[in-house]
Amino acid sequence: MTTLGLVVAEFNRPITEQMENDALEAAQSAGAEVYDTVTVPGVYDAPLAADRLARLEAVDAVAVIGTVITGDTDHDQVITDAAAQRLADVSLERDTPVTLGVTGPGMSAAESRERVENAAKAVDGALDLVEELPDAEDQQ
């Protein structure tokens, strides 16, 4: 059985709560176990939590869930760019799939609510990567 870590951003909680529920349902439907769910204040804070989960021997992959809604500045773009880059770094540094179930930037709250299924897609992607990637030990 594949074991996942889940990171959920609290900012915009009415949306991320539904995303979290969808992610948990996707994991259950696929027969995967969620080892731990770590909540973080916002998407920008997700890389550290993802890294901590990816370090655990029991965790095969990490799915990160959140939404970044546009405002009056480019803040949403800065947040999503930084988080996406660092999450990719965590995946490579820990040799553990870390998938991005974050919606935004450049979307309204209404548009974000229409995309809560991205959370389930992140779980599905994490499970697919665990299944499809060659074992690192076989590469040596």
Side-chain angles (χ1 to χ4, degrees):
M1 172 185 293
T2 302
T3 305
L4 299 174
L6 187 62
V7 178
V8 181
E10 290 283 308
F11 203 77
N12 298 309
R13 187 62 182 154
I15 299 168
T16 64
E17 182 176 32
Q18 181 60 51
M19 295 176 86
E20 180 179 359
N21 291 337
D22 286 2
L24 292 170
E25 287 176 19
Q28 183 179 22
S29 293
E33 175 189 353
V34 175
Y35 176 82
D36 195 8
T37 299
V38 178
T39 57
V40 295
V43 169
Y44 185 81
D45 309 300
L48 178 59
D51 186 67
R52 295 277 174 95
L53 287 168
R55 291 176 190 223
L56 299 174
E57 187 70 31
V59 173
D60 299 311
V62 179
V64 177
I65 309 303
T67 189
V68 182
I69 297 171
T70 193
D72 294 333
T73 67
D74 290 336
H75 181 75
D76 58 323
Q77 185 72 51
V78 172
I79 293 299
T80 53
D81 287 352
Q85 181 59 60
R86 289 304 298 147
L87 290 169
D89 292 344
V90 169
S91 185
L92 293 171
E93 290 166 7
R94 299 290 169 218
D95 194 32
T96 301
V98 177
T99 56
L100 186 64
V102 175
T103 59
M107 62 177 54
S108 68
E111 291 169 320
S112 185
R113 279 189 286 280
E114 293 172 0
R115 291 173 176 82
V116 295
E117 75 277 355
N118 282 7
K121 291 178 183 177
V123 168
D124 293 342
L127 296 173
D128 288 347
L129 281 167
V130 169
E131 186 176 315
E132 295 297 325
L133 287 175
D135 190 358
E137 293 173 6
D138 294 341
Q139 302 293 313
Q140 297 176 9

